[in-house]
Amino acid sequence: MANETRELTVELGDRSYPIYIGSGLLARTGQLFAERGFSVKSPVMLVTDASVEGLYAEAVEKALSDSGYKVTTAVVPSGETSKSLEMLDELVGVALQAGLDRRSTVIALGGGVVGDLAGFVAASYMRGVRFVQIPTTILAHDSSVGGKVAVNHRLAKNIIGAFYQPEFVLYDLDTLASLPMREVRAGLSEVIKHGLIWNADFVSWCEDNVERLLGLEPDALGYALYEGCRVKSIVVSRDERENDLRAILNLGHTIGHALEAVAGYGVLAHGEAIAIGMIGSARLATRFGYDSEIEVVTERIFRKFGLPVRIPEGIATEEVMAAMLHDKKFLEGQMVFVVPTAIGSVEIRNDVQIEWVSEIVDGLREGN
Amino acid sequence: MANETRELTVELGDRSYPIYIGSGLLARTGQLFAERGFSVKSPVMLVTDASVEGLYAEAVEKALSDSGYKVTTAVVPSGETSKSLEMLDELVGVALQAGLDRRSTVIALGGGVVGDLAGFVAASYMRGVRFVQIPTTILAHDSSVGGKVAVNHRLAKNIIGAFYQPEFVLYDLDTLASLPMREVRAGLSEVIKHGLIWNADFVSWCEDNVERLLGLEPDALGYALYEGCRVKSIVVSRDERENDLRAILNLGHTIGHALEAVAGYGVLAHGEAIAIGMIGSARLATRFGYDSEIEVVTERIFRKFGLPVRIPEGIATEEVMAAMLHDKKFLEGQMVFVVPTAIGSVEIRNDVQIEWVSEIVDGLREGN
Ligand SMILES: NC(=O)c1ccc[n+]([C@@H]2O[C@H](COP(=O)([O-])OP(=O)(O)OC[C@H]3O[C@@H](n4cnc5c(N)ncnc54)[C@H](O)[C@@H]3O)[C@@H](O)[C@H]2O)c1
Ligand SMILES: NC(=O)c1ccc[n+]([C@@H]2O[C@H](COP(=O)([O-])OP(=O)(O)OC[C@H]3O[C@@H](n4cnc5c(N)ncnc54)[C@H](O)[C@@H]3O)[C@@H](O)[C@H]2O)c1
Ligand SMILES: [Zn+2]
Ligand SMILES: [Zn+2]
């Protein structure tokens, strides 16, 4: 049934929250606010970006005002550069002028950029007000679970932030129809990642359902997003503050983040960069003596989804390696890597040799 | 015995932490780091301001490096304007360049400004690293308890921040010797506030010990800071996130913050502004029919400590009222005030009439 709404709870004790995944959900925003007892006396701020605003802001505004809420919409430019302290400053100004108080709610309507930015605004405005996520990209299934919010610094991505959980997440599949195809593929890369670290059956299912997923068929998409969120939520529930287990979610991200940084933010989409990164990690698995099937399956699935499997031209290995050494995943100067041990399972290794990584990066360059 | 070190635990479950109050403590910083098992592999950032740096930074740096820690000192300009997002950006840059990782520690060495700023850096750098407070002002006894950290926005003070508890607080009384007399008085204003809301005996004791306190006699000062921290810590333990009880700590702050804002930050010291604010609250108590002794004692004690008891010239009542309406203590548009019911006890009222406040502010203007 295509119109079923799936519900999932992210278990985090008194910070637990539900994720609703389905069609026609935007129109239910006001009702969900009322059910939770959010006071209509405290104004709401809706944060969105310039591309999403024209498509979906009105539906959310209407749903809220129909339920008696006063909403102020703040629009930021689309793209990663909006994840900045300048934009935080700006949004806090809007919130103050709109009279947001300690019982107010900040809503993120958009992709991961808007989610991370608005989430950090919610976490720090008056030292924390309510936060609601309405993701409109596939990649944002990832940022909807786990409460990591952040902005970037000129020298590093996601370096200024907090762990801050939303009250609930409203994932309306209808909004995904307007996503550019490139964003669809990039988002699915992170969905597949959740399979690769935890659930081999789901990886097979994704391989078998490439066309349905790329075609945004609601039932397939709803299931895939549910499963992606579910895996992440299991991991996050066991390790909210990223002390140990949560690190497995970084599969492909050490190389991926470095590629993003070197290519210049925006050149490689996040999901594209980590697809290449995951292939790198799979090659590392081969070096450690694990089954070479891992490498074969990993590369094959990303190819099927039309994701890049090689580093674009013009990116030097040394630059990638230098960027990696700035990465916050390097604890006390030691290299920490997530390495697959099979499809559907990974381990954390701190005995990875820098030369191996550098050789693998080199081997992944276009033409090699 | 003047050299006794007093110890107090702020009880916050798994976020509990100790406060050490005594002489000669700076030299023990490295030892305390080592006792807690802070790894020497992760660099430490010492944040201080331009006035404090020349006086005490070296002692802390030496104590740390003698114990094997690598320290980078970041110096910000003295004064309230350093509590800004620009400075957060700058300090994150220093931290990145110094290689601070997720197991690193940020130390605040200075008054409330450095404490609030460095605390927010610690809370948000990599979504939270360890934080240690070394307060060097009397007022900072207040900011050392409760974990409120924040920076200012052009439109409002302390509006961007977090609740973030330190690992421990090292209160070296020797550092207070260099405090300008005005800062001593302003700091004691907040100490007295803790008596006014919770402990009538301590208020009497302060009145009886004005000279010893203003003379910074270690034993009297150590006791007063201990008692101020103790009262605040009882309140904060029962209400970490400022849902109800914690609001009593705002005695004098509604009017006080408005006065600070209107006078222009820095013209009235925080402790001076709230002294006037507390007299305003005592007058409100009289309006509510409580014993007029409250007003008498409150004004008398601040006079004895040489604190301002009237609003300086050139500040219009209307401006103060307008600033008050921007204050985040106004929940859902309702005026909330902390009102004394006796010396040593207060209540939260939401039935204060705006005209009363405006008349009281008017009555407190110089010459009235
Ligand atoms: N917090 C986390 O746990 C977490 C996890 C993964 C990624 N992230 C962050 O997420 C960001 C990337 O997320 P993203 O890929 O969603 O980026 P994004 O928010 O920039 O969205 C991508 C583009 O699609 C547009 N868009 C969004 N929804 C649309 C829709 N429904 N129709 C048409 N266009 C639409 C946006 O305007 C943007 O141009 C990165 O900043 C990354 O750091 C955070
Ligand atoms: N977080 C909280 O709970 C909390 C509570 C109360 C106040 N505050 C904040 O604290 C700030 C005010 O604190 P403050 O009064 O300590 O201000 P401050 O940090 O600006 O210090 C006052 C002045 O004294 C100087 N100074 C500091 N220590 C010195 C020393 N030992 N010798 C000589 N000079 C010294 C400083 O350079 C500064 O010029 C405000 O920003 C206020 O918002 C926070
Ligand atoms: Zn990712
Ligand atoms: Zn205060």
Side-chain angles (χ1 to χ4, degrees):
Chain A
M1 190 177 81
N3 275 323
E4 156 189 22
T5 295
R6 288 182 173 85
E7 184 178 339
L8 176 85
T9 302
V10 182
E11 302 286 357
L12 290 166
D14 58 2
R15 288 182 304 287
S16 295
Y17 63 91
I19 301 181
Y20 305 103
I21 304 172
S23 290
L25 298 183
L26 291 189
R28 285 171 51 191
T29 317
Q31 175 197 327
L32 285 166
F33 268 52
E35 280 172 14
R36 277 174 176 68
F38 293 6
S39 166
V40 293
K41 289 194 217 152
S42 294
V44 175
M45 179 163 76
L46 178 67
V47 179
T48 188
D49 77 16
S51 321
V52 178
E53 186 210 5
L55 299 166
Y56 309 111
E58 209 180 301
V60 178
E61 288 161 2
K62 185 175 176 329
L64 285 166
S65 53
D66 283 354
S67 293
Y69 295 93
K70 192 173 159 287
V71 196
T72 298
T73 300
V75 184
V76 304
S78 299
E80 187 68 28
T81 51
S82 282
K83 277 175 58 175
S84 68
L85 288 176
E86 291 69 34
M87 213 49 81
L88 167 67
D89 186 68
E90 191 123 338
L91 291 176
V92 167
V94 174
L96 281 166
Q97 257 146 356
L100 265 76
D101 62 37
R102 294 180 48 199
R103 293 190 188 150
S104 286
T105 305
V106 173
I107 306 178
L109 173 69
V113 162
V114 164
D116 282 9
L117 170 65
F120 192 48
V121 172
S124 49
Y125 182 70
M126 294 186 171
R127 300 194 183 85
V129 296
R130 276 195 207 101
F131 177 41
V132 165
Q133 291 240 46
I134 309 186
T136 67
T137 66
I138 292 174
L139 193 135
H141 88 282
D142 187 24
S143 41
S144 315
V145 184
K148 276 183 165 192
V149 296
V151 297
N152 302 326
H153 183 273
R154 156 182 67 82
L155 299 175
K157 211 172 125 71
N158 293 329
I159 204 79
I160 305 171
F163 289 95
Y164 201 70
Q165 308 298 341
E167 297 294 316
F168 63 89
V169 175
L170 205 62
Y171 216 142
D172 189 335
L173 298 172
D174 302 345
T175 64
L176 303 175
S178 53
L179 266 188
M181 204 54 214
R182 187 175 171 192
E183 298 293 339
V184 171
R185 292 182 212 276
L188 288 169
S189 162
E190 201 96 45
V191 172
I192 295 163
K193 181 199 78 180
H194 289 123
L196 289 173
I197 62 174
W198 202 265
N199 185 344
D201 289 344
F202 179 54
V203 175
S204 304
W205 182 89
C206 288
E207 267 208 87
D208 293 344
N209 288 274
V210 179
E211 288 77 20
R212 294 175 70 205
L213 287 171
L214 290 178
L216 301 176
E217 204 206 276
D219 201 46
L221 195 58
Y223 170 67
L225 292 175
Y226 173 87
E227 191 56 25
C229 289
R230 193 182 70 82
V231 168
K232 180 152 185 194
S233 120
I234 292 169
V235 174
V236 165
S237 295
R238 298 190 194 172
D239 175 26
E240 186 179 1
R241 297 190 70 90
E242 199 163 9
N243 294 312
D244 36 59
L245 184 66
R246 191 163 171 161
I248 69 173
L249 298 168
N250 290 324
L251 178 70
H253 280 60
T254 306
I255 294 175
H257 277 161
L259 290 176
E260 270 185 287
V262 172
Y265 292 131
V267 174
L268 272 178
H270 178 71
E272 294 171 351
I274 65 157
I276 304 169
M278 285 186 268
I279 296 168
S281 307
R283 292 191 178 187
L284 214 40
T286 308
R287 292 272 179 141
F288 276 115
Y290 292 113
D291 194 339
S292 61
E293 260 304 284
I294 301 170
E295 202 181 310
V296 174
V297 173
T298 304
E299 182 156 338
R300 187 177 67 211
I301 194 166
F302 291 123
R303 277 194 196 278
K304 282 199 185 167
F305 277 89
L307 282 156
V309 296
R310 291 292 178 275
I311 298 170
E313 279 181 45
I315 295 181
T317 303
E318 305 77 57
E319 283 182 289
V320 179
M321 295 309 294
M324 234 178 277
L325 293 167
H326 263 296
D327 195 290
K328 65 190 143 154
K329 279 179 285 302
F330 292 90
L331 269 185
E332 298 180 349
Q334 203 156 41
M335 263 204 153
V336 180
F337 254 89
V338 186
V339 178
T341 57
I343 293 296
S345 105
V346 292
E347 64 181 4
I348 313 274
R349 307 283 306 218
N350 56 17
D351 55 350
V352 170
Q353 297 187 29
I354 297 210
E355 307 80 65
W356 291 3
V357 181
S358 148
E359 282 164 30
I360 286 172
V361 167
D362 214 46
L364 283 172
R365 291 169 64 213
E366 197 70 72
N368 286 354
Chain B
M1 190 178 79
N3 276 325
E4 156 187 25
T5 296
R6 289 181 172 84
E7 184 178 339
L8 176 85
T9 302
V10 182
E11 301 286 357
L12 290 166
D14 60 2
R15 287 183 304 289
S16 296
Y17 63 91
I19 301 181
Y20 305 102
I21 305 172
S23 291
L25 298 182
L26 292 189
R28 284 172 49 191
T29 317
Q31 175 198 328
L32 286 165
F33 268 52
E35 279 171 15
R36 277 173 177 68
F38 294 6
S39 166
V40 294
K41 288 194 218 152
S42 294
V44 174
M45 179 164 75
L46 177 67
V47 179
T48 189
D49 76 16
S51 320
V52 177
E53 186 211 5
L55 298 166
Y56 308 112
E58 209 182 301
V60 178
E61 288 162 1
K62 184 175 177 331
L64 286 166
S65 53
D66 283 355
S67 294
Y69 295 93
K70 192 173 157 287
V71 196
T72 298
T73 300
V75 184
V76 304
S78 299
E80 188 68 28
T81 50
S82 282
K83 276 175 58 175
S84 68
L85 287 177
E86 290 71 33
M87 212 51 80
L88 167 66
D89 186 69
E90 191 123 341
L91 291 176
V92 167
V94 173
L96 280 167
Q97 259 146 353
L100 265 77
D101 62 38
R102 294 180 50 201
R103 295 191 186 150
S104 284
T105 305
V106 173
I107 306 178
L109 173 69
V113 162
V114 164
D116 283 9
L117 169 64
F120 192 48
V121 172
S124 48
Y125 182 70
M126 294 184 173
R127 302 194 182 86
V129 295
R130 279 196 205 104
F131 178 41
V132 164
Q133 292 239 45
I134 310 186
T136 66
T137 66
I138 292 174
L139 193 136
H141 87 281
D142 188 24
S143 40
S144 316
V145 183
K148 276 182 163 191
V149 297
V151 298
N152 302 324
H153 183 273
R154 156 184 67 84
L155 299 175
K157 213 173 121 72
N158 293 329
I159 205 77
I160 306 170
F163 289 95
Y164 202 71
Q165 308 298 341
E167 297 296 313
F168 64 88
V169 175
L170 204 62
Y171 216 143
D172 189 334
L173 299 172
D174 303 344
T175 64
L176 304 174
S178 54
L179 266 187
M181 203 55 213
R182 189 175 169 192
E183 297 295 339
V184 172
R185 292 183 213 276
L188 288 169
S189 163
E190 200 95 46
V191 172
I192 295 163
K193 182 199 79 180
H194 288 122
L196 288 172
I197 62 173
W198 203 264
N199 186 343
D201 290 344
F202 178 54
V203 175
S204 306
W205 182 89
C206 288
E207 266 208 87
D208 294 344
N209 289 273
V210 180
E211 288 78 21
R212 293 176 72 203
L213 288 171
L214 292 178
L216 301 178
E217 204 206 274
D219 200 47
L221 195 60
Y223 170 66
L225 292 175
Y226 174 86
E227 190 57 25
C229 289
R230 193 183 68 84
V231 168
K232 179 152 186 195
S233 118
I234 292 169
V235 174
V236 164
S237 295
R238 296 189 196 173
D239 174 27
E240 184 178 1
R241 296 191 70 90
E242 197 161 13
N243 293 313
D244 37 59
L245 184 67
R246 190 162 171 163
I248 71 174
L249 298 169
N250 289 325
L251 178 69
H253 280 60
T254 307
I255 295 176
H257 277 162
L259 291 175
E260 271 186 287
V262 173
Y265 293 132
V267 174
L268 271 178
H270 178 72
E272 293 171 350
I274 65 155
I276 304 169
M278 285 187 265
I279 296 169
S281 307
R283 291 189 178 188
L284 214 42
T286 307
R287 292 273 180 140
F288 276 115
Y290 292 113
D291 194 338
S292 62
E293 261 303 286
I294 301 170
E295 202 180 310
V296 174
V297 173
T298 305
E299 182 156 337
R300 188 178 65 211
I301 194 166
F302 290 124
R303 277 196 197 277
K304 281 200 188 169
F305 276 88
L307 282 156
V309 295
R310 290 295 177 276
I311 297 170
E313 280 180 44
I315 295 181
T317 304
E318 306 77 58
E319 283 181 289
V320 179
M321 295 309 295
M324 234 177 278
L325 294 167
H326 264 295
D327 196 292
K328 69 190 141 157
K329 279 177 285 301
F330 292 91
L331 266 187
E332 297 179 352
Q334 202 158 42
M335 262 207 155
V336 180
F337 254 89
V338 186
V339 178
T341 57
I343 294 296
S345 106
V346 291
E347 64 182 5
I348 314 274
R349 307 281 308 218
N350 56 17
D351 57 350
V352 170
Q353 298 187 27
I354 296 211
E355 309 80 65
W356 291 3
V357 181
S358 149
E359 283 163 31
I360 286 171
V361 167
D362 214 45
L364 282 173
R365 292 169 63 215
E366 198 67 74
N368 287 354

